[in-house]
Amino acid sequence: VAMHGLGSPTTHALALIRAQDPVRRETLERAAVVTRVAPNFIRFGHFQHWASKDDTEALQVLTDYVVDHWYPDCRLNQDGSAASNDAVVVNLLRAVLKRTATLMAQWQAVGFMHGVMNTDNLSILGITIDYGPYGFMDGFDANHICNHTDTTGRYAWNVQPAVAHWNLYRLAEALRPLVPSQEPLRAVLDEFEACFTREFSALMAAKVGWRDWRESDQPLLDEFWQLLHTQRADFTHAFRRLAWAHLAPGSSEADEAALQGMGYRGHFLDLFYDTVSAESWLRAWQERAAHGWASAHERQSAMLAVNPLYVLRNHLAEGAIRAADDGDHTEVARLFQVLRNPFQLQADAQAYAELPPEWARSLAVSCSS
């Protein structure tokens, strides 16, 4: 629900079935099965499976099945003529690469961490699957690890795009028996960085209120990431409050923003202990953000439409779980309602937009969560 509300392609939960049987994970818990639905659950690893067995026939059957059902355009060349069998394979890799790069850009832009990005956890459709030790960023740390069993930081926030690229290399290796030469596959893999960068830059330009993306914007954006990282400013609040940063504290509009818990200039700066550095960056941002908009209000409306007020923070999920364990499912239902519309201010939902409490720092998730 949370990912779908944020506009990121994902599997969907159909049902949660609980049993009385005890299961030992980090602690003794009741057994449960989450039933999820998706157009398919085919992963990169399915291709690796047949390639590892040198079963080219089965690999071709799987490839044809995926192409025919979900990527029919891969059977055509750019001029509309029928593509050769090996060109279809190359076209499939390119289509999967583009979807995967786009998904990574979407994850990074909302501070989402998957937790276990092996090839069995990446979808051939470029959708988010296998929710286990996932999490949304609270205080920003570029090296944040959401899975406490990931002791080396293999799947930290800042390396997720690189891991996805590595997994695409493994997919290309699995598809190699179906093409006469590896060079076309290598050429496709070389497109990942540009594809991801293009998607991520567009998302970030929208989040910080720039009408378009310019290459000259990169240093200012990098400075913002550095500011967030060194001061551990809250990821979600920093972008959301930036939309109100043009308002003068004490103005009627700023007072209304404060009442709504949306943040204004003072509230943005409250996220940083070094307000001098934050103020300096804010001045540079205001100068850049003024270009291309009819008014500050127009820019603000655009920013609020892409920067969520509500995300599924660990402490919110923990509260719903504890209540459900006691037989009260109202908090789960309330979370569903709030997270379906994460960009819109909702009545009586202020608690879901608050900064995380101090006790939330001790929360940890793993593959067993």
Side-chain angles (χ1 to χ4, degrees), residues 122-192:
L122 281 196
S123 163
I124 201 69
L125 299 180
I127 63 178
T128 310
I129 59 174
D130 287 321
Y131 289 89
Y134 68 87
F136 285 89
M137 192 83 72
D138 287 331
F140 181 69
D141 177 0
N143 306 305
H144 184 72
I145 304 165
C146 71
N147 177 5
H148 78 80
T149 57
D150 180 14
T151 56
T152 63
R154 178 178 176 85
Y155 304 120
W157 177 85
N158 63 332
V159 298
Q160 289 184 137
V163 173
H165 196 192
W166 187 92
N167 286 341
L168 286 160
Y169 266 90
R170 306 291 77 77
L171 176 61
E173 288 175 354
L175 293 171
R176 175 66 181 85
L178 303 182
V179 296
S181 169
Q182 67 178 357
E183 294 311 313
L185 297 175
R186 283 187 173 276
V188 170
L189 292 168
D190 288 343
E191 298 172 13
F192 180 85

Side-chain angles (χ1 to χ4, degrees), residues 1 10-16 34-38 41 131 336 340:
V1 172
T10 177
T11 58
H12 293 266
L14 176 66
L16 174 63
V34 179
T35 305
R36 302 192 67 81
V37 293
F41 283 91
Y131 289 89
F336 278 169
R340 283 191 177 100

Side-chain angles (χ1 to χ4, degrees), residues 67-129:
V67 169
D68 290 340
H69 285 78
W70 294 284
Y71 293 98
D73 289 349
C74 290
R75 294 207 177 277
L76 300 175
N77 294 314
Q78 288 187 346
D79 61 4
S81 60
S84 62
N85 288 338
D86 55 294
V88 171
V89 176
V90 174
N91 290 343
L92 174 62
L93 180 63
R94 177 175 287 109
V96 175
L97 179 143
K98 288 180 178 179
R99 288 195 185 186
T100 303
T102 299
L103 182 68
M104 292 304 106
Q106 292 170 330
W107 284 5
Q108 300 301 97
V110 295
F112 175 80
M113 295 151 288
H114 184 279
V116 183
M117 289 179 60
N118 54 46
T119 52
D120 274 345
N121 286 342
L122 281 196
S123 163
I124 201 69
L125 299 180
I127 63 178
T128 310
I129 59 174

Side-chain angles (χ1 to χ4, degrees), residues 303-325:
M303 291 177 68
L304 294 177
V306 296
N307 288 307
L309 180 58
Y310 314 101
V311 294
L312 184 56
R313 298 176 185 267
N314 280 352
H315 75 278
L316 297 177
E318 182 69 15
I321 291 168
R322 291 178 182 179
D325 276 341

Side-chain angles (χ1 to χ4, degrees), residues 94-367:
R94 177 175 287 109
V96 175
L97 179 143
K98 288 180 178 179
R99 288 195 185 186
T100 303
T102 299
L103 182 68
M104 292 304 106
Q106 292 170 330
W107 284 5
Q108 300 301 97
V110 295
F112 175 80
M113 295 151 288
H114 184 279
V116 183
M117 289 179 60
N118 54 46
T119 52
D120 274 345
N121 286 342
L122 281 196
S123 163
I124 201 69
L125 299 180
I127 63 178
T128 310
I129 59 174
D130 287 321
Y131 289 89
Y134 68 87
F136 285 89
M137 192 83 72
D138 287 331
F140 181 69
D141 177 0
N143 306 305
H144 184 72
I145 304 165
C146 71
N147 177 5
H148 78 80
T149 57
D150 180 14
T151 56
T152 63
R154 178 178 176 85
Y155 304 120
W157 177 85
N158 63 332
V159 298
Q160 289 184 137
V163 173
H165 196 192
W166 187 92
N167 286 341
L168 286 160
Y169 266 90
R170 306 291 77 77
L171 176 61
E173 288 175 354
L175 293 171
R176 175 66 181 85
L178 303 182
V179 296
S181 169
Q182 67 178 357
E183 294 311 313
L185 297 175
R186 283 187 173 276
V188 170
L189 292 168
D190 288 343
E191 298 172 13
F192 180 85
E193 183 176 357
C195 186
F196 168 78
T197 301
R198 182 172 57 253
E199 295 291 338
F200 187 59
S201 296
L203 290 173
M204 294 310 302
K207 285 179 72 67
V208 298
W210 296 337
R211 192 75 189 231
D212 54 8
W213 172 259
R214 307 171 186 175
E215 289 302 318
S216 58
D217 291 329
Q218 192 63 57
L220 186 57
L221 182 59
D222 289 342
E223 186 180 341
F224 189 45
W225 287 124
Q226 185 67 18
L227 192 67
L228 295 178
H229 177 77
T230 56
Q231 303 196 41
R232 296 299 190 265
D234 188 82
F235 184 98
T236 301
H237 275 257
F239 287 101
R240 184 75 180 192
R241 294 183 185 191
L242 186 61
W244 297 88
H246 65 285
L247 301 179
S251 67
S252 59
E253 192 176 5
D255 289 342
E256 178 63 22
L259 288 172
Q260 294 180 350
M262 308 287 275
Y264 59 95
R265 182 184 180 89
H267 281 176
F268 174 81
L269 295 178
D270 285 347
L271 295 171
F272 305 91
Y273 60 82
D274 179 4
T275 56
V276 173
S277 296
E279 184 87 57
S280 175
W281 181 87
L282 196 57
R283 285 195 296 269
W285 168 80
Q286 287 175 316
E287 181 178 347
R288 169 64 180 92
H291 297 286
W293 298 101
S295 65
H297 179 72
E298 181 187 22
R299 185 193 68 233
Q300 178 193 70
S301 296
M303 291 177 68
L304 294 177
V306 296
N307 288 307
L309 180 58
Y310 314 101
V311 294
L312 184 56
R313 298 176 185 267
N314 280 352
H315 75 278
L316 297 177
E318 182 69 15
I321 291 168
R322 291 178 182 179
D325 276 341
D326 293 334
D328 179 4
H329 297 276
T330 56
E331 188 60 25
V332 173
R334 181 63 172 142
L335 267 180
F336 278 169
Q337 178 183 338
V338 170
L339 295 173
R340 283 191 177 100
N341 297 289
F343 305 102
Q344 299 295 322
L345 180 68
Q346 299 178 45
D348 302 321
Q350 178 61 33
Y352 300 93
E354 297 289 349
L355 290 168
E358 194 63 31
W359 62 263
R361 292 177 179 271
S362 63
L363 291 175
V365 295
S366 75
C367 292

